[in-house]
Amino acid sequence: MQLPNRLQFLLNRLRERLWVKPLVACVLSVAGVALAHLADSVPVDWKVPEIAQDSVVELLKVIAASMLGVATFAVASMVAAYASTGQSATARAFPLIVADDVSQNALSIFVGTFIFAIVGLSATTNDYFGKAGRFTLFMLTLSALALVIVVFVRWVDSIARLGRLGAVIAKVEQATSRAMARRSRRPCLGGMAAFGPAIGLAFHSDTSGYLQRVDMEALQRIAAARKLRITLAVVPGSMVVPSRPLGYVLPDGACSEAVEPGLLRDAFTIGPLRHFDDDPRFGLVALAEIGSRALSPGINDPGTAIGVLGSVYRILSEWARPVDAEAPEYDLVEVPALSVDDLFDDVFPAMARDGAGAVEVAMRIQRVLGELGCCGHEQTRAVARRHACLAMARAERALDFAPDLEQLRWRHEDFWGKAACTKQLFG
């Protein structure tokens, strides 16, 4: 079942907060102790075995003493992984690492079990439970202990990879692929495609930042109620400033009513950071940053850059593949579609610039662009050819070993022909 766009956006933001799941685990822990007390009100004393209070107390003491240390260790490990992400990959991938379900679940279980042990210990030592309550608390304690062991073993395997470069690249690729798939199914965010220059009365934002989300349903309601057509000038990921229009309002008939700009502005979520949810270009920018950092003289890791190019190829090849787009849901709102030029510009100029002097990277760029040019989509082929020619021109200036340059030219001509660059750049 697909959640509404606004609810999904809010849930994704909550996933990026480390306190949410531990808070839920703490509430469930207290509820578990209360459930054990409720068992005393059920007449089943003769059906459950007698559990000594001292055994429950000692078990809870062991759990309380150990869980605090484990939770502290978990936080320290996660912080180290987060710091490694910013140093080895890119700070733009930080929200994806923070939202890692395995680490958040592990921390939540550790903190929740600690709270459960403390509350249960306090209640038990004050004779809060009867025979049925002690038995219920004992079984809940054993269950919590088994859950901690399973989660800890699974988390150790995950924390060894969390923050590592390969894991970060995989998470960015996965998030970008999801965003691309959503945009493929709804190329205009569920609205109509905007063609040609926008006309109408412009409305502006009163703040600056990045457009994170557009409430298309709200805009459709406004347009239907006021008999208007709304054309957006920005899409999620665009830089928004007060001097740049958010969109344009055009009367859709003689009975159209004026609309307050503030009502339209409320449908746009603007913040200081970009998010991966509805902004597939942001994922490509993050991948390009990882690849460029790997090619810096201080790191000199062309293998990572080649891996990034593989991720880029998989994302863009899926984007170029024909899909059955959903029928427009918001017929009174027009939205610009993603530009193929923008998608390629987000990745290949930086990678071609920093990898021009590494023949293995330059060869892979030509291979990726050549394969993307074979997708059959004429616009994609033209853009791929332009970037291949630009990358070739950069490499010719950077490579001074003739056999490497000759091999690169052969690879380029294999896809585009000998006259491709001259015709593309100067013709």
Side-chain angles (χ1 to χ4, degrees):
M1 178 180 176
Q2 187 175 4
L3 295 174
N5 190 22
R6 179 178 177 81
L7 179 59
Q8 185 64 60
F9 181 82
L10 294 176
L11 288 177
N12 289 341
R13 302 292 74 75
L14 287 177
R15 288 184 61 202
E16 297 171 4
R17 300 292 184 266
L18 282 178
W19 57 267
V20 175
K21 286 187 177 180
L23 177 62
V24 174
C26 292
V27 173
L28 293 177
S29 299
V30 176
V33 177
L35 177 64
H37 178 64
L38 289 177
D40 287 325
S41 61
V42 180
V44 294
D45 284 357
W46 61 274
K47 295 181 181 180
V48 297
E50 180 71 38
I51 302 296
Q53 180 170 308
D54 290 343
S55 64
V56 178
V57 169
E58 292 301 320
L59 184 58
L60 290 173
K61 283 182 177 179
V62 171
I63 293 177
S66 58
M67 281 301 99
L68 183 60
V70 172
T72 304
F73 169 71
V75 172
S77 301
M78 292 167 67
V79 170
Y82 300 155
S84 174
T85 299
Q87 294 173 0
S88 63
T90 173
R92 257 56 63 191
F94 178 76
L96 298 177
I97 304 302
V98 171
D100 179 68
D101 287 332
V102 176
S103 296
Q104 286 198 8
N105 292 340
L107 180 62
S108 303
I109 293 299
F110 300 153
V111 174
T113 304
F114 172 73
I115 298 299
F116 171 80
I118 293 297
V119 176
L121 188 62
S122 300
T124 304
T125 53
N126 286 280
D127 297 326
Y128 189 63
F129 302 109
K131 180 181 177 181
R134 285 194 303 271
F135 174 77
T136 303
L137 183 65
F138 182 72
M139 297 305 297
L140 289 175
T141 303
L142 292 181
S143 301
L145 187 59
L147 181 62
V148 166
I149 293 173
V150 172
V151 169
F152 182 79
V153 172
R154 182 169 176 244
W155 174 72
V156 167
D157 180 71
S158 174
I159 200 65
R161 297 174 174 82
L162 186 66
R164 301 298 180 186
L165 198 53
V168 174
I169 294 174
K171 284 184 176 295
V172 175
E173 179 183 350
Q174 186 180 30
T176 308
S177 296
R178 287 197 300 263
M180 280 287 192
R182 285 193 295 270
R183 188 60 69 87
S184 295
R185 294 191 301 269
R186 309 181 77 187
C188 297
L189 304 178
M192 305 294 290
F195 297 103
I199 56 176
L201 181 63
F203 60 95
H204 300 255
S205 169
D206 53 1
T207 60
S208 61
Y210 290 102
L211 180 60
Q212 298 173 343
R213 176 182 170 272
V214 180
D215 191 343
M216 296 289 291
E217 186 176 354
L219 292 177
Q220 176 74 10
R221 286 198 305 267
I222 295 171
R226 307 298 179 91
K227 295 182 174 57
L228 305 169
R229 295 195 67 85
I230 300 173
T231 302
L232 301 189
V234 292
V235 293
S238 301
M239 180 66 183
V240 174
V241 293
S243 60
R244 180 181 179 183
L246 290 174
Y248 300 87
V249 175
L250 183 66
D252 199 23
C255 300
S256 297
E257 301 178 18
V259 59
E260 299 81 3
L263 193 62
L264 294 169
R265 284 196 291 264
D266 290 341
F268 296 81
T269 303
I270 300 172
L273 302 174
R274 297 172 72 174
H275 294 303
F276 291 89
D277 306 31
D278 298 317
D279 184 9
R281 291 183 58 190
F282 184 45
L284 294 175
V285 170
L287 286 172
E289 289 182 354
I290 296 173
S292 294
R293 175 170 291 187
L295 292 169
S296 64
I299 298 178
N300 191 23
D301 182 13
T304 294
I306 291 174
V308 167
L309 287 169
S311 298
V312 170
Y313 171 74
R314 287 189 290 273
I315 293 170
L316 292 180
S317 61
E318 284 295 322
W319 167 257
R321 185 174 300 172
V323 296
D324 294 329
E326 298 177 4
E329 184 178 356
Y330 311 109
D331 59 337
L332 299 178
V333 184
E334 297 180 353
V335 182
L338 277 180
S339 168
V340 177
D341 292 87
D342 290 340
L343 295 176
F344 278 69
D345 288 343
D346 288 332
V347 179
F348 292 107
M351 297 287 289
R353 178 196 65 219
D354 297 326
V359 64
E360 61 269 39
V361 177
M363 291 276 289
R364 183 55 60 94
I365 290 175
Q366 293 296 327
R367 178 65 179 270
V368 168
L369 288 169
E371 295 294 345
L372 289 173
C374 296
C375 70
H377 193 280
E378 186 61 33
Q379 185 181 7
T380 302
R381 180 172 178 80
V383 175
R385 176 185 295 177
R386 177 171 65 86
H387 280 279
C389 293
L390 290 172
M392 187 67 212
R394 292 179 185 273
E396 286 178 337
R397 288 178 174 270
L399 292 174
D400 52 8
F401 188 57
D404 286 347
L405 189 56
E406 184 65 25
Q407 186 180 18
L408 182 62
R409 285 171 176 162
W410 178 85
R411 171 63 60 83
H412 177 79
E413 292 170 2
D414 185 46
F415 284 106
W416 308 108
K418 292 186 177 181
C421 284
T422 301
K423 183 178 180 180
Q424 183 73 15
L425 296 179
F426 305 106

